[in-house]
């Protein structure tokens, strides 16, 4: 197969990342785009080496590219690439406004090649995983819009879901595309569970482990109803699903009393004791993200999965692919050197005016770097904002895993919250009330189902209601971050909690920081942190949960 040959070629050049990267940059990114507006401005025609590229082209963030992207959205051609832009991928931006990522045919081919490398390596290691039903994305894929010039704007998941619908029609996946349009998360998870419980699943995949965790919890929560449906056929009449979904289930699953009896003994056990391998004896592998950020979900998911093997998925974003996992039970993968061009800045240097930049072959094991990405879709030396950790070297090519977003951000399951969003949400709540908080910080919970804690020290005087403040803050945050809103609606994030501190808490936090050597004049308020133990040791006088 061509994909197997491509995998062998990829593995064969892991000792020569510098050669592969220079060829990728010059032949597939620079030369083909030297006559677009961006290429002319930064003299792509004069670039003959990687160093030339670094001298001519500045490192940028999304805000720098926004005017160029707006021109493409308005219908201009030849702006960032010579090749026509076919659509945009929408993804959450750092200020809450969705980013629009231009998509060309070459960019889709690049990503498809990375997918081919990943799946070829996976099925080479687990050939039996292809024998049964291969279950892909089971979460909602969002809605589509269009630019003023008519170019489609979708989530990347929505785009690949359309592509995957062909695989479903060929019989590889049992989940019809129409299930992604079920607006009620409870009904969607129930429907997916209903379908999968009558299938011979050999590979189960969901990018976020939180999706699988909710699926297994719903599977146990609605065990009686699911068993009844399986025994008599069709789908629970009380479920709010569309006619297409109901017709598909009614036609495909007409009743299997033997399977219902089989599941009755498994699903009626107390707790998550029915493992995935017991439910689906042919299951060979579970694919989901395994970065350190996902550890809370993976720990909660472990009792449901049991001994089944697990593999990380591609380290990627809408803007591009970073790494291809080729091993089980590890986080991250081999840098995807034939796909895009990569540069790196050490995490502690990212705020410097002119930080040293390293190439793939120059990275050090054990160090953390911010990724600078160049792609065939017109993102040149783009600071993607992802911090990766170099876990090992495969030949001379780094093996990297995702750690977190650069700067003051937090992401438990892909929501990518920023401090700017948290501050704007709180300002929208407190300013109309004239409420001046002594301090506030959003941080992850240290245990239990992943969620956020909103720590606040209220003013000594003033009329305010804690439950109302929390509910309004949650609404404002959802309005500013589309990914956070989606994760909350799909129940992959539990409701946030409000912890009201005793008076003087933020003064105590300040004293702690000074005690560790921080300069008092340079201490800035922290409104978002990834530290789950940020509030440890503080006196909490009230806790509130969004109902």
């Amino acid at each position: 197969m061509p994909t197997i040959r491509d995998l062998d070629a990829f593995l064969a050049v892991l000792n020569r990342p510098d050669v592969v990267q220079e060829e990728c940059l010059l032949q597939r990114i620079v030369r083909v785009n030297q006559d677009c507006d961006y290429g002319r401005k930064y003299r792509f025609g004069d670039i003959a080496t990687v160093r030339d590229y670094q001298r001519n082209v500045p490192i940028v963030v999304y805000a720098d590219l926004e005017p160029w992207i707006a021109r493409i959205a308005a219908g201009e051609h030849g702006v960032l690439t010579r090749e026509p832009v076919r659509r945009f991928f929408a993804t959450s931006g750092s200020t809450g406004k969705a980013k629009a990522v231009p998509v060309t045919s070459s960019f889709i081919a690049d990503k498809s090649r990375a997918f081919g490398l990943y799946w070829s390596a996976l099925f080479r290691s687990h050939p039996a995983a292809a024998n049964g039903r291969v279950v892909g994305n089971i979460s909602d894929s969002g809605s589509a819009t269009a630019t003023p010039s008519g170019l489609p704007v979708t989530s990347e998941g929505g785009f690949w879901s359309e592509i995957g619908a062909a695989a479903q029609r060929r019989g590889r996946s049992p989940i019809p595309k129409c299930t992604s349009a079920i607006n009620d998360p409870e009904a969607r998870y129930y429907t997916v569970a209903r379908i999968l419980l009558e299938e011979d699943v050999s590979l189960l995949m969901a990018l976020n482990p939180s999706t699988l965790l909710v699926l297994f919890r719903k599977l146990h929560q609605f065990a009686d109803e699911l068993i009844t449906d399986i025994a008599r056929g069709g789908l629970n009449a009380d479920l709010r699903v569309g006619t297409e979904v109901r017709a598909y289930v009614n036609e495909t699953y007409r009743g299997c009393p033997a399977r219902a009896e089989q599941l009755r003994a498994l699903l009626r056990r107390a707790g998550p004791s029915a493992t995935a391998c017991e439910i689906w004896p042919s299951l060979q592998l579970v694919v989901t993200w395994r970065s350190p950020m996902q550890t809370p979900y993976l720990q909660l998911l472990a009792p449901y999965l049991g001994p089944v093997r697990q593999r990380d998925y591609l380290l990627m974003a809408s803007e591009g692919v970073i790494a291809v996992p080729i091993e089980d039970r590890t986080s991250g993968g081999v840098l995807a050197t034939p796909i895009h061009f990569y540069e790196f800045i050490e995490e502690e240097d990212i705020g410097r005016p002119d930080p040293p930049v390293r190439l793939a072959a120059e990275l050090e094991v054990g160090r953390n770097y911010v990724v600078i990405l160049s792609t065939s879709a017109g993102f040149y030396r783009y600071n993607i904002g992802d911090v990766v950790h170099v876990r090992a070297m495969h030949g001379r090519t780094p093996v990297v895993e995702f750690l977190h977003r650069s700067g003051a951000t937090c992401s438990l399951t892909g929501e990518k919250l920023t401090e700017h969003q948290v501050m704007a949400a709180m300002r929208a709540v407190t300013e109309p009330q004239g409420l001046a908080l002594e301090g506030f910080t959003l941080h992850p919970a240290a245990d239990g189902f992943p969620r956020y804690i909103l720590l606040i020290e209220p003013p000594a005087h003033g009329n305010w209601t804690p439950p109302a403040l929390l509910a309004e803050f949650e609404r404002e945050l959802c309005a500013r971050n589309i990914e956070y809103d989606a994760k909350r609606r799909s129940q992959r994030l539990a409701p946030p909690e409000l912890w009201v501190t005793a008076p003087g808490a933020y003064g105590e936090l300040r004293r702690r920081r000074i005690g560790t050597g921080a300069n008092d004049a340079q201490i800035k308020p922290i409104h978002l942190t990834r530290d789950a133990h940020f509030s440890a040791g503080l006196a909490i006088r009230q806790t509130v949960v969004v109902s």
Side-chain angles (χ1 to χ4, degrees):
M1 292 177 62
T3 51
I4 291 294
R5 289 199 296 271
D6 199 26
L7 173 64
D8 290 336
F10 171 62
L11 297 175
V13 295
L14 293 179
N15 279 318
R16 297 186 292 135
D18 46 352
V19 174
V20 175
Q21 281 281 271
E22 185 165 58
E23 179 182 330
C24 175
L25 173 68
L26 298 180
Q27 294 188 13
R28 297 197 294 108
I29 297 175
V30 171
R31 287 173 187 163
V32 294
N33 290 309
Q34 64 185 22
D35 292 326
C36 72
D37 290 351
Y38 201 89
R40 283 191 289 269
K41 178 173 182 176
Y42 293 108
R43 307 193 317 278
F44 280 18
D46 297 337
I47 295 172
T49 66
V50 169
R51 299 305 175 195
D52 291 343
Y53 181 67
Q54 292 175 324
R55 276 192 299 270
N56 285 19
V57 183
I59 293 174
V60 297
V61 295
Y62 185 78
D64 299 315
L65 297 177
E66 215 163 3
W68 301 80
I69 291 170
R71 290 169 54 193
I72 301 171
E76 284 193 53
H77 300 284
V79 179
L80 288 172
T81 58
R82 283 291 297 160
E83 187 178 11
V85 170
R86 302 296 184 186
R87 63 171 55 241
F88 288 93
F89 288 155
T91 184
S92 185
S94 61
T95 63
K97 181 181 178 182
K99 292 187 291 185
V101 178
V103 178
T104 62
S105 296
S106 293
F107 185 63
I108 291 299
D110 291 341
K111 283 207 164 186
S112 296
R113 185 183 180 192
F115 297 155
L117 292 173
Y118 176 80
W119 290 108
S120 295
L122 184 150
F123 286 123
R124 174 179 280 178
S125 301
H126 302 279
N131 293 343
R133 292 290 210 171
V134 176
V135 179
N137 184 33
I138 60 175
S139 60
D140 59 316
S141 54
S143 57
T145 59
T147 67
S149 62
L151 290 174
V153 182
T154 64
S155 68
E156 182 174 9
F159 172 79
W160 294 111
S161 178
E162 288 284 351
I163 304 298
Q168 190 272 326
R169 288 192 293 271
R170 291 195 300 270
R172 292 296 305 280
S173 171
I175 306 297
K177 182 183 180 299
C178 55
T179 59
S180 68
I182 301 174
N183 292 324
D184 179 10
E186 201 108 306
R188 185 171 62 253
Y189 280 113
Y190 184 100
T191 303
V192 169
R194 165 70 183 93
I195 292 170
L196 294 185
L197 286 174
E198 276 201 71
E199 292 290 349
D200 180 30
V201 177
S202 57
L203 189 150
L204 184 60
M205 170 187 166
L207 297 186
N208 273 304
S210 59
T211 301
L212 290 180
L213 179 60
V214 174
L215 175 67
F216 278 103
R217 286 186 166 180
K218 297 302 179 187
L219 194 148
H220 284 79
Q221 179 184 347
F222 297 111
D224 289 342
E225 293 89 340
L226 287 163
I227 289 168
T228 298
D229 279 358
I230 291 166
R232 71 185 180 191
L235 192 61
N236 190 311
D238 295 332
L239 274 170
R240 291 179 294 173
V241 300
T243 54
E244 185 180 1
V245 172
R246 191 171 295 282
Y248 174 85
V249 176
N250 290 347
E251 178 64 28
T252 310
Y253 306 99
R254 300 187 175 189
C256 185
R259 177 60 171 162
E261 283 304 311
Q262 206 176 46
L263 290 168
R264 199 181 305 277
L266 289 174
L267 298 183
R268 284 185 171 172
R269 297 179 191 170
S273 53
T275 66
C277 289
E278 291 176 301
I279 296 170
W280 299 288
S282 298
L283 186 65
Q284 302 293 310
L285 190 69
V286 170
V287 172
T288 190
W289 282 327
R290 297 183 56 81
S291 73
M293 188 67 75
Q294 302 295 339
T295 298
Y297 290 105
L298 293 170
Q299 290 172 340
L300 291 168
L301 187 58
Y304 294 102
L305 296 186
V308 68
R309 289 183 176 273
Q310 300 170 47
R311 183 170 291 203
D312 201 355
Y313 191 57
L314 289 162
L315 200 175
M316 60 178 285
S318 298
E319 295 94 331
V321 176
I322 297 174
V324 180
I326 57 175
E327 300 172 309
D328 294 342
R329 294 195 179 276
T330 59
S331 168
V334 180
L335 191 70
T337 51
I339 307 302
H340 308 306
F341 180 72
Y342 310 93
E343 300 167 87
F344 302 87
I345 297 172
E346 291 205 43
E347 184 180 16
E348 57 266 35
D349 290 338
I350 196 63
R352 292 172 54 180
D354 189 22
V357 178
R358 298 192 182 203
L359 302 178
E362 299 169 345
L363 301 192
E364 299 177 35
V365 173
R367 303 289 294 176
N368 299 340
Y369 300 91
V370 177
V371 180
I372 308 300
L373 182 68
S374 297
T375 74
S376 59
F379 276 30
Y380 308 104
R381 306 199 78 197
Y382 172 68
N383 180 351
I384 195 171
D386 285 350
V387 177
V388 298
H389 175 74
V390 181
R391 189 167 51 77
M393 301 296 285
H394 201 303
R396 292 177 57 232
T397 300
V399 177
V400 299
E401 64 177 346
F402 174 78
L403 280 190
H404 51 249
R405 296 284 293 168
S406 175
T409 65
C410 190
S411 187
L412 300 181
T413 180
E415 69 278 12
K416 297 179 283 188
L417 279 178
T418 71
E419 191 168 39
H420 181 279
Q421 292 165 348
V422 172
M423 293 170 63
M426 185 57 78
R427 192 181 308 118
V429 173
T430 57
E431 282 187 353
Q433 303 179 40
L435 191 64
L437 301 177
E438 296 294 328
F440 69 92
T441 305
L442 193 70
H443 69 80
D447 50 34
F449 196 93
R451 65 201 185 283
Y452 284 93
I453 306 297
L454 176 59
L455 184 73
I456 72 166
E457 183 180 339
H461 304 286
N463 295 321
W464 69 290
T465 306
L469 184 142
L470 180 58
E472 290 175 27
F473 175 82
E474 165 91 341
R475 282 194 295 271
E476 293 291 344
L477 199 56
C478 286
R480 284 164 172 76
N481 186 304
I482 58 176
E483 300 291 351
Y484 177 83
D485 183 45
K487 269 58 175 184
R488 282 287 290 113
R489 284 189 290 104
S490 64
Q491 303 176 30
R492 284 177 278 174
L493 280 174
E497 296 178 15
L498 174 64
W499 290 9
V500 182
T501 73
Y506 274 79
E508 173 59 22
L509 286 172
R510 187 178 189 87
R511 286 190 290 274
R512 287 185 193 176
R513 295 171 68 189
I514 293 171
T516 61
N519 186 317
D520 181 61
Q522 295 180 344
I523 292 177
K524 297 178 181 178
I526 297 174
H527 297 304
L528 177 67
T529 177
R530 293 185 286 266
D531 181 5
H533 302 281
F534 180 83
S535 54
L538 296 179
I540 306 299
R541 69 182 188 188
Q542 184 180 4
T543 62
V544 178
V545 181
V546 169
S547 58

